[in-house]
Amino acid sequence: EILKSSEISSFDQNLLVGNSSKDDAAVYDMGNGSAIISTTDFFMPIVDDPFDFGSIASVNAISDVYAMGGKPMMAIAILGWPVNSLPPDVAKEVLNGSRSICKKAGISLGGGHSIDTPEPIFGLAVTGIVEKKNLKRNNSAKINSQLYLSKPLGVGIVTTAHKKGIADESDLDVVIKSMLTLNDIGFEFGGLEYVNAMTDVTGFGLLGHLCEMCEGSGLSAEIEFKKIPKFNFLDNYLGNGCIPGGTERNWNSYKDKISPLEDYQKNLLADPQTSGGLLISVDGDKIEVFEDFMKTQFITNLTPIGKLVEKRTEMIVVK
């Protein structure tokens, strides 16, 4: 709503992706067959350990570059810190976590900016590069494409349980490991012509990001709930009311576009993800080729969760 009412516009013809679409990052045509990707993301802590906080925030921010088929080049830090209540050594650990992820991504943390804030805030502004022919957008999906999701859902549920003090340590470790996993396979997907659209699943939940893909592509989706990857320890937390406030806000923003759901389905599919997986749309006649490629990348656990169909009254049907 904020952007709808603003006067931000794309007046530069070289701006391939800007505010006019709901994509993951801005993209600027360099005029030589390549394009620059620019993105930023930051948030308050969702885990206690400052090193992990800096690491997760960095994986999350860099993901937008991978989601567009690109390769990150450099990052700069965005740090808000309550200087009178938290020691600077803790902030150093946040930055150390970020540097560790930047190193894994093959980039430098080249600087940044900090301000005094009531609560800690951390994230990155990331610059990436992509060959124009390999650019993946979230509004270029094709009818009869199969959909894949590269990470399990449930991050918001478990981190909410952690805030309530009832998350099992081993469950939290599994979720943190997922959040710390780079979506760098997205760069490889950029080189696959039959991957026709891609985005990453973050704060709007799977349904929200799939709505954006469907809306931009002029299509609808059918997804099979049982095939959607999710952490296998969520039932206990949902039973104890570990539902993020963002879930209801997400659901209210797009519920009129979705087929009727049970509460359990809604609480999972609208669950806000931090550093979630890639949502990948693959040409329907290239599924075997795609899955064979996945095996060469040592990824053997991805199966389709649904498909894209002609536009219907309901944008997403959950079976």
Side-chain angles (χ1 to χ4, degrees):
E1 291 298 322
I2 293 171
L3 292 179
K4 281 181 184 177
S5 62
S6 74
E7 295 183 4
I8 298 172
S9 61
S10 304
F11 60 86
D12 189 335
Q13 292 182 351
N14 290 325
L15 189 63
L16 299 177
V17 182
N19 185 56
S20 59
S21 65
K22 300 175 181 178
D23 224 318
D24 297 302
V27 182
Y28 192 87
D29 187 357
M30 297 300 291
N32 59 359
S34 66
I36 295 296
I37 301 171
S38 183
T39 185
T40 185
D41 209 329
F42 50 90
F43 46 74
M44 293 185 290
I46 60 168
V47 293
D48 296 332
D49 184 87
F51 187 94
D52 283 346
F53 170 43
S55 300
I56 291 167
S58 300
V59 173
N60 183 74
I62 295 169
S63 178
D64 286 338
V65 173
Y66 293 133
M68 303 200 76
K71 186 175 184 178
M73 298 166 60
M74 64 173 292
I76 55 175
I78 298 163
L79 176 67
W81 202 253
V83 294
N84 293 323
S85 58
L86 282 176
D89 284 349
V90 180
K92 286 181 182 178
E93 276 301 289
V94 174
L95 288 167
N96 285 338
S98 180
R99 289 190 186 96
S100 74
I101 293 301
C102 288
K103 185 177 180 180
K104 286 182 182 177
I107 63 175
S108 295
L109 184 59
H113 186 68
S114 61
I115 61 170
D116 186 5
T117 53
E119 298 288 339
I121 298 168
F122 186 74
L124 298 177
V126 187
T127 302
I129 192 165
V130 63
E131 291 186 48
K132 273 182 65 177
K133 63 183 177 65
N134 292 344
L135 176 64
K136 302 302 179 188
R137 303 187 60 168
N138 69 356
N139 63 359
S140 52
K142 300 176 183 177
I143 195 167
N144 296 324
S145 295
Q146 294 287 312
L147 296 167
Y148 292 79
L149 180 62
S150 69
K151 287 186 185 181
L153 299 181
V155 169
I157 294 164
V158 178
T159 54
T160 299
H162 175 58
K163 290 175 184 175
K164 289 174 174 264
I166 62 173
D168 184 276
E169 204 64 38
S170 62
D171 295 346
L172 185 62
D173 286 346
V174 170
V175 171
I176 289 174
K177 183 178 179 181
S178 176
M179 289 190 287
L180 289 175
T181 302
L182 287 166
N183 283 326
D184 50 357
I185 189 66
F187 173 68
E188 304 297 336
F189 291 158
L192 305 179
E193 189 177 350
Y194 52 81
V195 172
N196 55 56
M198 190 160 58
T199 190
D200 60 346
V201 177
T202 51
F204 295 128
L206 174 61
L207 290 177
H209 291 283
L210 181 53
C211 273
E212 290 179 343
M213 184 177 284
C214 289
E215 224 163 14
S217 305
L219 299 169
S220 290
E222 295 177 355
I223 57 175
E224 297 184 52
F225 185 73
K226 290 182 179 179
K227 292 186 176 180
I228 294 168
K230 60 183 183 296
F231 297 112
N232 61 8
F233 41 70
L234 300 178
D235 290 1
N236 175 52
Y237 300 125
L238 287 171
N240 281 286
C242 299
I243 301 164
T247 299
E248 196 64 28
R249 289 192 296 272
N250 282 343
W251 178 245
N252 287 335
S253 72
Y254 45 66
K255 63 183 179 181
D256 294 338
K257 303 173 184 178
I258 315 297
S259 66
L261 299 184
E262 299 172 2
D263 285 346
Y264 179 83
Q265 294 174 314
K266 178 190 78 174
N267 290 332
L268 185 70
L269 299 179
D271 183 48
Q273 305 301 288
T274 300
S275 191
L278 296 173
L279 178 63
I280 309 141
S281 174
V282 179
D283 288 351
D285 60 351
K286 297 292 185 180
I287 297 307
E288 288 186 15
V289 178
F290 177 68
E291 293 185 358
D292 285 344
F293 171 79
M294 297 291 284
K295 290 172 186 174
T296 69
Q297 304 298 308
F298 306 102
I299 300 173
T300 58
N301 59 345
L302 282 193
T303 56
I305 63 168
K307 63 182 179 180
L308 293 167
V309 297
E310 71 278 358
K311 189 174 181 180
R312 299 174 183 173
T313 304
E314 292 172 321
M315 189 173 292
I316 300 175
V317 174
V318 181
K319 297 181 175 181

